[in-house]
């Protein structure tokens, strides 16, 4: 049956959420129900199963849970997406790090790594990459494997170069990427600065103290209560005066964390911990 005509009964949706939480410690209760249910419908229609057999498979088939999670996440991303944000980062925040011995950066919900490599390249071009460690985390293991590989379809290259040029005014990328017939790959010296790890923002803890956390286009899938909890996690994970960057459509205005940050750049959603 077409996805358009499928729907999930409230009761079976609740059973699914309950099983995911109780059996696997994946808590989706505070994900925005509309978009989450749409993703489940897309999954069951593609797999040609119903919610009951989805639950059975989750409980009985080895590896099915990770497959389901990987299929469920929305992974849309882009190199230098919202280039004006990278422009502000480069011109207003990078100069502050010049005197720092080390810089720790966390990119949470990094998808397939386009944000990670955009930032790493910018740091490299500004002679800051050597002192940086970039932690790239996500709940989707397939995404993380792609970040580790650092290899992208060549079809993305011209948009990469355009966006990059907007931010830096240069179009030279041969210094740090290798271009092959169908792909382009970031050089090992860039990849060496990236630590890739699975981390679930819903229930995993903080794992370091950072100078910058970038979490863009992830909160849009979370209910406000969950956004608030993750903002607290970020606050605990930032050094004082360190920065938090959210996506264009996200903000902290509704949150009890608002007094804990200064709004450094309202349009680019750049905040600084007090
Ligand atoms: C739309 S992508 C955004 C990618 C990137 N941040 C960007 O702005 O281009 C959302 C990402 O958030 C990840 N994600 C969703 N829920 C998550 C959670 N609870 N913990 C960690 N990552 C999560 C998804 O797997 C996906 O890769």
């Amino acid at each position: 049956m077409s996805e358009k005509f499928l729907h999930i009964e409230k009761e079976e949706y609740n059973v699914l959420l309950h099983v995911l939480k109780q059996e696997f410690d994946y808590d989706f209760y505070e994900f925005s129900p509309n978009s989450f249910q749409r993703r489940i419908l897309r999954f069951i229609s593609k797999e040609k199963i119903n919610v009951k057999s989805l639950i059975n498979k989750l409980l009985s088939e080895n590896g099915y849970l990770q497959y389901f999670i990987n299929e469920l996440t929305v992974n849309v991303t882009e190199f230098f997406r919202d280039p004006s944000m990278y422009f502000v980062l480069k011109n207003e925040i990078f100069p502050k790090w010049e005197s720092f011995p080390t810089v720790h950066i966390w990119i949470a919900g990094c998808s397939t790594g386009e944000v990670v490599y955009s930032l790493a390249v910018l740091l490299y071009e500004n002679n800051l990459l050597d002192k940086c460690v970039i932690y790239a985390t996500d709940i989707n293991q397939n995404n993380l494997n792609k970040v580790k590989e650092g290899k992208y379809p060549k079809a993305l290259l011209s948009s990469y170069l355009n966006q990059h040029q907007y931010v830096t005014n240069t179009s030279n990328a041969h210094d740090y990427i290798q271009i092959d017939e169908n792909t382009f790959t970031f050089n090992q010296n860039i990849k060496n600065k990236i630590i890739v790890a699975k981390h679930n923002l819903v229930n995993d803890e903080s794992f370091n103290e950072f100078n910058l956390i970038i979490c863009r286009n992830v909160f849009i899938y979370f209910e406000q209560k969950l956004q608030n909890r993750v903002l607290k996690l970020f606050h605990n994970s930032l050094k004082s005066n360190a920065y938090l960057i959210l996506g264009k459509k996200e903000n902290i205005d509704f949150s009890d964390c608002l007094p804990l940050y200064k709004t450094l750049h309202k349009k680019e959603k750049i905040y600084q911990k007090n």
Side-chain angles (χ1 to χ4, degrees):
M1 195 190 294
S2 147
E3 197 186 307
K4 229 169 48 194
F5 301 108
L6 284 168
H7 78 282
I8 303 182
E9 298 294 339
K10 194 158 185 264
E11 205 169 306
E12 54 185 11
Y13 180 63
N14 286 337
V15 174
L16 176 63
L17 292 187
H18 180 79
V19 167
L20 286 166
K21 170 102 175 77
Q22 292 309 313
E23 299 296 323
F24 306 109
D25 206 22
Y26 271 102
D27 185 347
F28 290 103
Y29 279 102
E30 292 167 308
F31 272 58
S32 301
N34 288 348
S35 97
F36 193 59
Q37 284 188 16
R38 261 201 317 277
R39 300 296 294 176
I40 295 169
L41 283 176
R42 187 166 308 168
F43 180 82
I44 60 179
S45 126
K46 184 171 147 241
E47 295 289 299
K48 300 190 174 31
I49 54 174
N50 57 27
V51 177
K52 195 159 169 243
S53 41
L54 165 62
I55 294 171
N56 284 338
K57 278 169 171 287
L58 286 169
L59 291 170
S60 62
E61 283 183 26
N62 235 345
Y64 201 79
L65 172 75
Q66 192 57 57
Y67 171 62
F68 172 67
I69 299 291
N70 290 351
E71 290 288 310
L72 215 64
T73 60
V74 181
N75 304 320
V76 182
T77 184
E78 231 179 80
F79 289 106
F80 293 104
R81 183 189 211 173
D82 304 322
S84 53
M85 183 282 285
Y86 288 93
F87 192 82
V88 174
L89 185 60
K90 173 170 100 76
N91 291 306
E92 292 181 28
I93 297 181
F94 282 11
K96 305 228 161 65
W97 291 343
E98 267 160 26
S99 60
F100 286 23
T102 55
V103 176
H104 288 96
I105 298 169
W106 178 15
I107 304 191
C110 65
S111 188
T112 42
E114 281 81 340
V115 177
V116 182
Y117 285 101
S118 303
L119 179 70
V121 161
L122 217 52
L123 289 162
Y124 170 76
E125 290 172 329
N126 287 274
N127 296 320
L128 288 169
L129 187 63
D130 278 352
K131 62 167 122 181
C132 293
V133 184
I134 304 175
Y135 296 82
T137 66
D138 203 280
I139 44 169
N140 180 327
Q141 187 59 47
N142 285 348
N143 287 348
L144 296 174
N145 295 342
K146 290 186 181 154
V147 183
K148 272 190 211 148
E149 212 185 358
K151 182 185 274 200
Y152 297 90
K154 203 167 165 189
L156 299 181
L157 187 58
S158 70
S159 127
Y160 170 92
L161 293 173
N162 281 339
Q163 303 278 78
H164 175 245
Q165 185 162 26
Y166 176 96
V167 181
T168 61
N169 242 340
T170 60
S171 55
N172 183 16
H174 295 278
D175 248 23
Y176 55 82
I177 56 175
Q178 156 104 40
I179 303 174
D180 297 311
E181 201 181 335
N182 299 313
T183 58
F184 67 101
T185 310
F186 289 88
N187 285 354
Q188 198 57 43
N189 64 323
I190 304 262
K191 287 196 228 174
N192 285 346
K193 305 305 291 183
I194 299 166
I195 296 176
V196 176
K198 196 145 164 222
H199 182 279
N200 184 348
L201 289 166
V202 177
N203 44 8
D204 288 340
E205 309 268 306
S206 170
F207 54 95
N208 209 331
E209 274 208 313
F210 298 94
N211 299 92
L212 167 68
I213 297 176
I214 301 184
C215 182
R216 309 191 75 227
N217 310 302
V218 180
F219 277 17
I220 41 175
Y221 304 105
F222 293 174
E223 297 265 73
Q224 281 200 349
K225 205 165 134 219
L226 175 57
Q227 293 183 29
N228 208 33
R229 248 196 2 258
V230 179
L231 282 170
K232 287 196 179 118
L233 168 76
F234 288 163
H235 190 260
N236 290 334
S237 313
L238 284 168
K239 297 182 183 191
S240 49
N241 298 318
Y243 305 96
L244 168 68
I245 307 184
L246 301 179
K248 269 259 155 83
K249 294 186 193 132
E250 300 158 337
N251 66 70
I252 65 168
D253 298 349
F254 68 91
S255 159
D256 7 310
C257 292
L258 183 62
L260 305 175
Y261 292 93
K262 277 195 282 291
T263 302
L264 209 67
H265 213 290
K266 201 171 171 55
K267 184 169 151 263
E268 304 302 341
K269 307 296 161 51
I270 304 181
Y271 304 95
Q272 184 171 26
K273 178 172 168 169
N274 286 322

